[in-house]
Amino acid sequence: MEGESKKLASVSNLVTVFENSRTPGAASRVCKLEIEHCHPGCRCPPPAEPWTEPNLGETFEGSEPRTVSRRYLSSLKNKLSSGAWRKSCQPGTHPGPGTQEPEEKKIVQELLETEKAYVARLHLLDQVFFQELLREARSSKAFPEDVVRLIFSNISSIYQFHAQFFLPELQRRLDDWTATPRIGDVIQKLAPFLKMYSEYVKNFERAVELLATWTDKSAPFQEVITRIQSSEASSSLTLQHHMLEPVQRIPRYELLLKEYVQKLPAQAPDRADAQKALDMIFSAAQHSNAAITEMERLQDLWDVYQRLGLEDDIVDPSNTLLREGPVLKISFRRSDPMERYLFLFNNMLLYCIPKVIQVGAQFQVRTRIDVAGMKQVRELTDAEFPYSFLVSGKQRTLELQARSQEEMISWIQACQAAIDQIEKRNETFKAAVQGPEGDTQEQELQSEELGLRAPQWVRDKMVTMCMRCREPFNALTRRRHHCRACGYVVCAKCSDYRAELKYDDNRPNRVCFHCYTFLTGNVLPEDKEDKRRGILEKGSTTGSEQSLMCSFLQLVGDKWGKSGPRGWCVIPRDDPLVLYVYAAPQDMRAHTSVPLLGYQVTAGTQADPRVFQLQQSGQLYTFKAETEELRDRWVKAMERAASGWSPRGPNDGDLSD
């Protein structure tokens, strides 16, 4: 039995916030009532000091998120965990006269009396507050009916259960106590229905916020509540205090039933049923405790999202906040670290910058690092920056500095715990791809990860020369740059390449030549080839596909050689004032080029109408088209180029066949 008592002692027992929040007069009345209910043999706690009722006007004031319910919930949670708000009566402490009723019956009487008071409070909530507000919403249309239903949640179901089932069963059993001295079977039958309280508890904080909002927003709403609160039935208590009664009711059942089991004689026929009923009440209390915990988690999560500006890609109710706090970012270029702020969730690490003007959001998310892609979180041995640690993620690698050794260890452990949790889910897949070689395979994976995850950058001051060509750096002609693939410090010449990196959503990034060849497989990038080409190195294929005019022309005269060859002539769209002549359409280098600006174009002679010429200050080029129609199109294209005309749109001036 002692073991069972220890097990049950771990169940949360709730101190009544409802009673603590009464007015001084009400507090004394309640204290008196508690003393009256204390039966001989019970050690009643001394009366608490009077509490003053909070000012609702101050509580609901302002536009910030309401926190009054958070205080209540925190109080409930702490006292649920302590289980010490009420002393249990120990059997045989104060033996009374033989004429007294059995101790277990007195506890059942106390349970019945408190149940009657509780049903009266539920009646006030459901049949008075709820129905009066619904009636006012339907008649005045000053506030929505849905708001009223959200505030009171499933209070009607709770009221009907207690008024029509639980209370009558308890009353009948006590009336017939002489013949049937037991309640364990009654509570066993009805205890499963107590899990409906979870829905009410989960909705409680939202209900309090809606109550505060519409009390400020709607005068008819406030008038109905004020009128009922000032009535005798409300006992000068606020609606919010009445709404707390269902939140604290199940822990009271657990306390009374535990005391009932302790008072039962060892051979009592109700002992087994009462113990089983206590276990079921324990389960229902755990549901309420879990609901409060979940509600606090969601509220904390929402507070974080508001501080981050409610960015769509991070707002997810399934996330769990593991740790948050300020850190210092070790810069690769600056000597002094920069202030930053971290939010560690179960699935991501948010690297944030505190905003100078904190209007709305307090932080700006700079980088999101997925926990699933974190390779390592480890301490750095750096004499200049003590308590520093490395976070190596797929999206970015960070060198951070904590304020103390304990804080650094705490961050490393929190990150590692999140990584371990993710890896635990994927351990089946990891086992399938693990090879027998071990270290050798890990070495190969590291090279294969180039471009797949953000590298750790080498700090500028750690090197004095390019880590690729070994040329020394200087401030004017050879400055430092970082390769975004390997993190090396390289010069501009060695990093004048761009490659798509998967960790940066396949966007082109500056990389060194070594990483460029590894990532692309090219020995020399195409854009570098373009920079080294001469004026004739313009691909004819590109010119043909994107040209104003192109076709084969016969090249006539000594200018082209004695054989009079045929050439592939092109006026490119991106260079509309120049004629390029290629030996073949697939050539990458033109045979010659003729700048057409200022040239005079003349049509063919009577001897051969397909001939036309270009002439300017002693320069003469003669061409022969295959048809007169083709000649006319060439003459028109060259005349436009000679006058300086350029196309304005993608299809403007296209004369190609």
Side-chain angles (χ1 to χ4, degrees), residues 76-352:
L76 292 173
K77 182 80 180 301
N78 293 335
K79 293 161 186 173
L80 260 150
S81 303
S82 68
W85 73 279
R86 178 176 178 174
K87 297 288 184 181
S88 299
C89 296
Q90 302 298 328
T93 305
H94 296 285
T99 58
Q100 286 188 343
E101 293 181 337
E103 294 290 338
E104 62 269 20
K105 183 178 179 181
K106 292 181 180 180
I107 298 172
V108 175
Q109 288 174 337
E110 181 180 356
L111 176 61
L112 179 62
E113 293 301 319
T114 57
E115 184 68 14
K116 289 179 179 178
Y118 178 56
V119 170
R121 193 57 46 83
L122 291 177
H123 176 86
L124 179 67
L125 283 170
D126 181 50
Q127 299 298 312
V128 182
F129 278 106
F130 185 29
Q131 296 301 327
E132 286 291 325
L133 285 170
L134 271 182
R135 195 175 296 112
E136 180 66 26
R138 289 166 183 158
S139 60
S140 67
K141 306 294 183 183
F143 49 91
E145 293 182 37
D146 289 343
V147 170
V148 181
R149 292 190 175 91
L150 285 172
I151 290 175
F152 290 93
S153 185
N154 62 336
I155 193 66
S156 297
S157 300
I158 295 174
Y159 170 61
Q160 291 175 11
F161 167 72
H162 285 272
Q164 299 178 17
F165 297 97
F166 201 66
L167 180 58
E169 288 284 347
L170 286 177
Q171 183 68 62
R172 282 193 292 269
R173 187 52 58 91
L174 189 61
D175 292 342
D176 196 27
W177 187 260
T178 304
T180 314
R182 57 195 305 145
I183 60 168
D185 56 339
V186 173
I187 296 178
Q188 275 188 59
K189 181 174 67 175
L190 300 176
F193 294 96
L194 296 178
K195 291 183 179 180
M196 71 173 72
Y197 277 80
S198 295
E199 179 180 346
Y200 183 88
V201 173
K202 286 180 181 178
N203 185 68
F204 179 74
E205 185 166 358
R206 185 184 182 193
V208 171
E209 292 182 358
L210 285 172
L211 178 63
T213 299
W214 285 95
T215 300
D216 295 339
K217 196 173 182 179
S218 173
F221 185 92
Q222 185 180 26
E223 190 275 329
V224 172
I225 293 177
T226 304
R227 172 166 49 83
I228 300 175
Q229 286 178 166
S230 60
S231 67
E232 184 178 353
S234 185
S235 303
S236 301
L237 295 172
T238 65
L239 171 57
Q240 189 179 24
H241 292 128
H242 293 308
M243 290 168 62
L244 276 168
E245 283 278 332
V247 176
Q248 59 184 348
R249 185 58 185 168
I250 292 182
R252 288 192 174 191
Y253 286 142
E254 190 263 339
L255 285 169
L256 287 171
L257 194 56
K258 182 172 73 173
E259 190 173 349
Y260 173 76
V261 171
Q262 290 175 346
K263 297 296 182 182
L264 282 174
Q267 304 301 323
D270 195 28
R271 191 167 191 84
D273 284 340
Q275 184 61 55
K276 188 174 181 180
L278 180 59
D279 293 338
M280 298 177 72
I281 293 292
F282 174 86
S283 176
Q286 291 295 89
H287 271 262
S288 294
N289 193 14
I292 292 176
T293 302
E294 176 66 10
M295 186 163 41
E296 289 184 338
R297 185 190 73 83
L298 291 175
Q299 181 60 47
D300 291 340
L301 202 60
W302 182 251
D303 292 343
V304 170
Y305 289 156
Q306 287 182 317
R307 292 158 64 195
L308 294 172
L310 300 176
E311 296 192 16
D312 294 339
D313 60 337
I314 63 173
V315 174
D316 188 342
S318 65
N319 292 342
T320 301
L321 180 65
L322 303 180
R323 181 179 173 83
E324 64 170 288
V327 294
L328 294 175
K329 165 67 168 57
I330 300 176
S331 174
F332 298 106
R333 294 188 172 90
R334 297 172 52 180
S335 57
D336 53 328
M338 300 168 287
E339 292 185 3
R340 295 293 184 261
Y341 203 90
L342 299 182
F343 291 93
L344 176 63
F345 294 87
N346 59 313
N347 60 341
M348 61 183 172
L349 175 69
L350 298 182
Y351 171 71
C352 305

Side-chain angles (χ1 to χ4, degrees), residues 47-58:
E49 296 182 3
W51 290 69
T52 58
E53 183 174 340
N55 188 327
L56 277 184
E58 296 176 359

Side-chain angles (χ1 to χ4, degrees), residues 534-554:
I535 192 171
L536 301 178
E537 293 183 277
K538 189 174 187 68
S540 65
T541 303
T542 303
S544 302
E545 294 173 351
Q546 300 178 0
S547 63
L548 296 173
M549 185 66 193
C550 63
S551 74
F552 279 105
L553 292 176
Q554 190 75 29

